[in-house]
Amino acid sequence: MIIVIEGGDQAGKKTQTALLAKALKQRKIKTTTFSFPDYKTPVGKEIAKYLNCKRKFPPQVIHCLLAANRWEKLNEILAAQSKNSIVIMNRYYHSNLIYGLANGMKSKWLKNLDDGLPKADLVILLDVTQRESFRRKKTNRDKFEKNEEFLRKISKIYRTIAKKEYWKIIDASKSKQEVHENILKAISQKIGL
Ligand SMILES: Nc1ncnc2c1ncn2[C@@H]1O[C@H](COP(=O)(O)OP(=O)(O)OP(=O)(O)O)[C@@H](O)[C@H]1O
Ligand SMILES: Cc1cn([C@H]2C[C@H](O)[C@@H](COP(=O)(O)O)O2)c(=O)[nH]c1=O
């Protein structure tokens, strides 16, 4: 099973991915976690340079690279699945759809880039406003994060797509513990914990 934790910048994805992995391990459920972008791979290093404004790419190129970064990890994802591990994704191909749409790319074009990767079984959207995102991180914001208007657009597109695609929407402005409990509830409804 693949569970995806999605959401805008500073929504709490990393925090919640760690809390979820810990909670599942405590229940003796095998768990493997991936985070995208994975900045350690060759493609990931290029993505990091782009986000830190040290490289310039047209939007088509950066969204291809962000998808390529997932293909770099395909064998590891398949290996985790073959061990019957629950796979938790801190961002997955859904991020490319949302940020790509915000950057003016077409949905079909974006979806094609990730077509063939293992599909998500449950997508959890940590719904964060641009204002809360900025409150949580005030400095060192990357290329996408520092544009207020862009982040407002991201929140809006996330909500629209989440409703259309039946993702589980969770209010990310609640406390870390409340968000965690709501995530566990959503997973229990799907698999029973
Ligand atoms: N529910 C919460 N309430 C208040 N602060 C939170 C909450 N969840 C996370 N934070 C804080 O917000 C910041 C960002 O959290 P985190 O790194 O988990 O977010 P993220 O979605 O993974 O961010 P990004 O995608 O931008 O890397 C951290 O300082 C974290 O402690
Ligand atoms: C995986 C992925 C990410 N993005 C965007 C979303 C964020 O603005 C950055 C990654 O930053 P983070 O702090 O490490 O979360 O990249 C994207 O546009 N497409 C993707 O597939």
Side-chain angles (χ1 to χ4, degrees):
M1 180 181 196
I2 297 186
I3 300 169
V4 181
I5 309 289
E6 274 294 338
D9 298 284
Q10 309 301 303
K13 299 177 295 299
K14 188 176 166 197
T15 305
Q16 295 303 328
T17 298
L19 288 174
L20 176 59
K22 191 172 162 203
L24 294 178
K25 276 177 195 152
Q26 277 167 351
R27 288 166 172 79
K28 308 264 180 276
I29 298 171
K30 259 188 273 173
T31 307
T32 310
T33 299
F34 293 89
S35 281
F36 291 106
D38 181 326
Y39 297 110
K40 290 190 214 85
T41 69
V43 172
K45 286 177 185 156
E46 281 303 306
I47 294 170
K49 285 180 191 155
Y50 170 85
L51 290 172
N52 295 323
C53 301
K54 292 195 174 103
R55 279 266 196 290
K56 276 190 180 172
F57 293 122
Q60 290 84 348
V61 174
I62 189 61
H63 288 292
C64 282
L65 290 179
L66 285 154
N69 187 230
R70 279 179 284 281
W71 288 103
E72 288 182 293
K73 303 294 282 185
L74 176 63
N75 287 344
E76 286 176 48
I77 299 170
L78 293 176
Q81 286 189 307
S82 73
K83 286 185 205 140
N84 283 329
S85 197
I86 287 201
V87 176
I88 308 171
M89 302 288 189
N90 169 7
R91 294 195 186 277
Y92 200 33
Y93 51 81
H94 314 79
S95 281
N96 223 24
L97 176 64
I98 305 300
Y99 284 74
L101 286 172
N103 274 327
M105 310 290 103
K106 292 258 189 319
S107 167
K108 194 175 162 202
W109 183 87
L110 288 159
K111 286 183 176 171
N112 258 331
L113 298 177
D114 286 288
D115 190 23
L117 284 169
K119 292 265 180 274
D121 297 289
L122 175 65
V123 184
I124 293 170
L125 169 63
L126 301 184
D127 185 20
V128 71
T129 60
Q130 172 274 328
R131 189 187 283 247
E132 178 64 11
S133 170
F134 265 60
R135 202 188 59 74
R136 290 182 187 177
K137 187 177 180 186
K138 296 190 171 68
T139 53
N140 293 330
R141 303 187 67 91
D142 71 30
K143 192 173 169 75
F144 288 158
E145 288 173 336
K146 61 187 164 202
N147 182 335
E148 285 185 42
E149 190 46 47
F150 185 71
L151 282 198
R152 264 193 287 274
K153 208 166 161 187
I154 291 293
S155 290
K156 201 170 160 209
I157 301 175
Y158 259 127
R159 282 182 205 135
T160 306
I161 300 283
K163 283 181 198 146
K164 199 168 141 212
E165 307 270 341
Y166 303 103
W167 299 350
K168 184 78 196 170
I169 304 176
I170 289 179
D171 180 357
S173 70
K174 298 258 165 70
S175 73
K176 291 179 189 179
Q177 189 55 31
E178 281 174 291
V179 174
H180 173 57
E181 280 160 19
N182 287 335
I183 290 177
L184 287 183
K185 262 188 227 154
I187 296 172
S188 291
Q189 283 164 7
K190 188 88 183 171
I191 56 169
L193 288 173

